[in-house]
Amino acid sequence: MNVKHYKKRLLDMEKTLSSHTRREIEDSRGHFIDSAHDVGDSSVADVAADDDFTQAELDLTILQQVREALSRIDAGTFGKCLVDGGPIEAKRLEAVPWAPYCLKHQGLIEAAAHPETRTR
Ligand SMILES: [Zn+2]
């Protein structure tokens, strides 16, 4: 496996995501202050702040996973499923370089986290 290739992509993502999240968090603080000043528009501002915050949270979650993947590169365990140590599919790593689980275990974990979607 070409770990250097993934390391470069992960480092690029880390840089992009950390500048995004900083800006998004600052933006949502700005919205919050605006809404406090203008009660008439508060519902609109709240929605806008919520949207930004959700995006910031999503980016933060991915950023965390990107950093964990980078530490797995240093530890020499990158590309191995955290559950069984089996190889993570190359196609999957190409699409999601920070993926901590193989497709099978990712599916099991998501099913366990969202039992209500299991019956679909
Ligand atoms: Zn696995």
Side-chain angles (χ1 to χ4, degrees):
M1 192 204 309
N2 187 353
V3 175
K4 267 189 193 166
H5 161 76
Y6 293 114
K7 185 168 187 174
K8 194 190 171 303
R9 287 189 57 194
L10 286 163
L11 285 171
D12 282 350
M13 279 176 189
E14 190 193 23
K15 209 162 47 173
T16 311
L17 285 168
S18 48
S19 69
H20 270 188
T21 46
R22 210 170 319 151
R23 203 167 45 230
E24 279 153 7
I25 289 164
E26 278 164 13
D27 277 1
S28 50
R29 278 203 202 112
H31 286 304
F32 185 71
I33 292 162
D34 286 349
S35 70
H37 278 289
D38 187 349
V39 179
D41 273 346
S42 68
S43 60
V44 176
D46 283 350
V47 170
D50 278 354
D51 282 353
D52 283 351
F53 200 65
T54 306
Q55 185 59 47
E57 278 179 321
L58 193 69
D59 283 350
L60 271 176
T61 306
I62 295 171
L63 183 60
Q64 181 66 29
Q65 289 180 314
V66 165
R67 284 181 175 154
E68 280 168 14
L70 283 166
S71 67
R72 286 198 297 278
I73 287 179
D74 290 338
T77 57
F78 178 79
K80 289 177 188 159
C81 174
L82 288 185
V83 175
D84 61 359
I88 298 172
E89 296 79 0
K91 258 193 208 166
R92 178 162 163 71
L93 283 177
E94 199 53 53
V96 190
W98 60 88
Y101 306 109
C102 69
L103 211 51
K104 184 181 126 194
H105 288 116
Q106 181 70 47
L108 289 175
I109 285 160
E110 276 171 14
H114 305 284
E116 72 276 13
T117 60
R118 232 185 246 168
T119 47
R120 264 187 216 161

